């Protein structure tokens, strides 16, 4: 892509290249921060792999996870050194990482995405377990999330256009999301009617307000020459939020579900076989009947409720960060 953007060499004669043009291409390539970009990519991959593998495929204290975690820290440190002291035109200027408006925007975006992804993770599980819904039907229960997200984005645009202010919206977003997640904790206890799908809309409505107003606040707080780079970092923080959210939600579900089943099924024959199948195969859960099904479903509902607590925690933290956002005139 870089080479394609460079101007083609003009040939002064057949089979010859203009030395000045060749030198110009080399000088432009020399300005590209390949080392910084490579270190950032490598650190991100190591970090994501550690989160993705840890606790699911291998234990958190396994040598592979330790190596990946240490590698991510070392590569991240080298990236900061290169960007701060070596790169002539850094791929991500270090000054942005200590910029109040940048840091708060990134934290809010990452935390709110992590909160929202928890709902997208838990809702299909919940309805497959409690209502014996198929995978397709369970996915359809996420439609309210799409509605809430679209409505929140439109609402944010209209309010900012009318008032020219965005900090109140940055505060409002996590607050509304927290209300939605709190309602999920209190009300989704195994028998959920269609009207209670509104709680998903509430959560995603607030999430969309946070993301939409957050990017506006970021753009207003940085210099025009940093807008593109800052926007890229905003997207990166959202991606990290997705990975962190999915990993912690899966870890929360697994770490609570198996011990709960072990405790409730301690007098049941073939307990270990039942637990192994119940925690790895939703179709097995759908086929259960009687008291055994009630125990397994109740354990699932309680464990999924803990993932909503995690989402609530993320939104409360995002609200706390939003208090430090500085508003600029648009």
């Amino acid at each position: 892509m870089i080479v394609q953007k460079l101007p083609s060499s003009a040939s002064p004669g057949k089979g010859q290249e203009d030395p000045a043009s060749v030198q110009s291409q080399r000088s432009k390539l020399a300005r590209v921060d390949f080392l910084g970009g490579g270190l950032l990519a490598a650190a991100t991959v190591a970090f994501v792999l550690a989160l993705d593998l840890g606790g699911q495929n291998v234990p958190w204290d396994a040598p592979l996870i330790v190596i990946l975690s240490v590698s991510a820290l070392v590569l991240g440190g080298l990236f900061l050194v290169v960007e701060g002291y070596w790169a002539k035109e850094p791929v991500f200027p270090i000054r942005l990482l200590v910029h109040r408006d940048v840091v708060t925007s990134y934290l809010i975006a990452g935390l709110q995405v992590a909160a929202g992804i928890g709902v997208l993770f838990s809702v299909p599980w919940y309805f497959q377990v409690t209502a014996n819904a198929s995978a397709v039907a369970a996915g359809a229960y996420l439609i309210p999330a799409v509605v809430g997200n679209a409505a929140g984005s439109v609402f944010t645009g209209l309010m900012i256009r009318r008032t020219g202010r965005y900090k109140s919206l940055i505060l409002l977003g996590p607050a509304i999301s927290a209300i939605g997640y709190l309602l999920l904790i209190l009300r989704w206890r195994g028998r959920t009617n269609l009207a209670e799908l509104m709680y998903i809309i509430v959560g995603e409505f607030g999430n969309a307000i946070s993301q939409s107003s957050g990017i506006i606040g970021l753009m207003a707080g940085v210099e025009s020459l940093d807008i593109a780079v800052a926007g890229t970092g905003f997207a990166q923080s959202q991606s990290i939020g997705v990975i962190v959210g999915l990993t912690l939600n899966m870890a929360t579900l697994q770490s609570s579900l198996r011990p709960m089943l072990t405790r409730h099924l301690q007098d049941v024959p073939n307990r270990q076989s039942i637990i192994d199948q119940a925690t790895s195969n939703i179709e097995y859960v759908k086929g259960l009947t009687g008291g055994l099904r009630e125990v397994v479903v109740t354990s699932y509902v309680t464990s999924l409720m803990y993932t909503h607590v995690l989402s609530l925690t993320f939104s409360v933290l995002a609200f706390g960060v939003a208090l430090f956002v500085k508003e600029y005139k648009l």
Side-chain angles (χ1 to χ4, degrees):
M1 291 175 64
I2 294 171
V3 173
Q4 289 176 349
K5 293 296 182 181
L6 295 174
S8 59
S9 299
S11 300
K14 185 176 181 180
Q16 297 181 350
E17 289 184 321
D18 184 0
S21 179
V22 173
Q23 184 64 30
S24 176
Q25 287 191 12
R26 289 177 179 173
S27 64
K28 288 184 177 181
L29 283 173
R31 293 165 56 190
V32 179
D33 184 17
F34 289 111
L35 180 58
L39 288 171
L40 177 60
T44 302
V45 169
F47 175 71
V48 169
L49 283 175
L51 285 179
D52 188 54
L53 297 175
Q56 300 181 47
N57 299 305
V58 292
W60 283 108
D61 57 353
L64 176 60
I65 302 303
V66 174
I67 291 172
L68 287 172
S69 301
V70 172
S71 298
L73 290 174
V74 172
L75 291 168
L78 290 174
F79 168 74
L80 294 177
V81 171
V82 168
E83 299 301 280
Y85 300 100
W86 186 82
K88 295 180 180 179
E89 297 186 25
V91 67
F92 194 94
I94 296 301
R95 67 179 184 278
L96 292 182
L97 293 179
V98 294
H99 194 299
R100 172 179 172 179
D101 303 300
V102 173
V103 173
T104 53
S105 295
Y106 288 1
L107 286 175
I108 293 169
L111 288 168
Q112 280 293 97
V113 167
I117 204 69
V119 174
L120 301 183
F121 164 86
S122 64
V123 168
W125 281 74
Y126 179 85
F127 284 103
Q128 286 187 81
V129 170
T130 61
N132 284 341
S134 65
V136 174
Y141 285 103
L142 292 176
I143 292 176
V146 179
V147 174
N149 205 290
S153 298
V154 172
F155 172 79
T156 304
L158 292 174
M159 291 302 295
I160 291 179
R161 177 182 295 181
R162 176 174 297 180
T163 65
R165 307 181 71 86
Y166 56 85
K167 181 173 180 177
S168 58
L169 292 170
I170 294 178
L171 287 166
L172 182 64
I176 292 177
S177 293
I179 292 172
Y181 303 141
L182 182 60
L183 288 171
L184 290 174
I185 293 169
L186 297 176
R187 298 293 302 166
W188 281 29
R189 293 305 181 93
R191 292 176 176 82
T192 302
N193 56 50
L194 292 178
E196 290 181 309
L197 293 177
M198 289 291 294
Y199 308 150
I200 303 176
I201 296 180
V202 173
E204 287 307 301
F205 182 77
N207 208 332
I209 292 175
S210 294
Q211 302 301 325
S212 300
S213 58
I215 189 65
I216 296 298
L218 175 65
M219 298 298 103
V222 299
E223 300 293 334
S224 58
L225 59 86
D226 291 326
I227 286 179
V229 175
T232 301
F234 189 85
Q236 182 80 347
S237 67
Q238 291 175 317
S239 299
I240 292 174
V242 170
I243 299 298
V244 171
L246 284 175
T247 300
L248 293 183
N249 274 278
M250 178 61 75
T252 300
L253 178 64
Q254 295 297 336
S255 64
S256 59
L257 179 60
R258 184 174 286 272
M260 203 175 302
L261 289 172
T262 300
R263 184 170 63 255
H264 291 157
L265 299 176
Q266 57 184 347
D267 297 326
V268 177
N270 301 319
R271 178 185 64 178
Q272 194 58 49
S273 175
I274 294 173
I275 293 174
D276 290 341
Q277 294 186 73
T279 55
S280 61
N281 186 358
I282 288 292
E283 296 302 320
Y284 173 79
V285 177
K286 294 179 182 179
L288 296 176
T289 58
L292 180 58
R293 173 175 171 77
E294 183 178 351
V295 168
V296 172
V297 169
T298 300
S299 298
Y300 257 103
V301 169
T302 303
S303 296
L304 290 171
M305 183 266 291
Y306 293 154
T307 68
H308 301 322
V309 173
L310 184 62
S311 293
L312 175 62
T313 302
F314 283 137
S315 285
V316 170
L317 290 174
F319 181 85
V321 174
L323 294 173
F324 296 94
V325 170
K326 183 178 181 180
E327 188 167 39
Y328 298 91
K329 185 177 180 180
L330 297 178

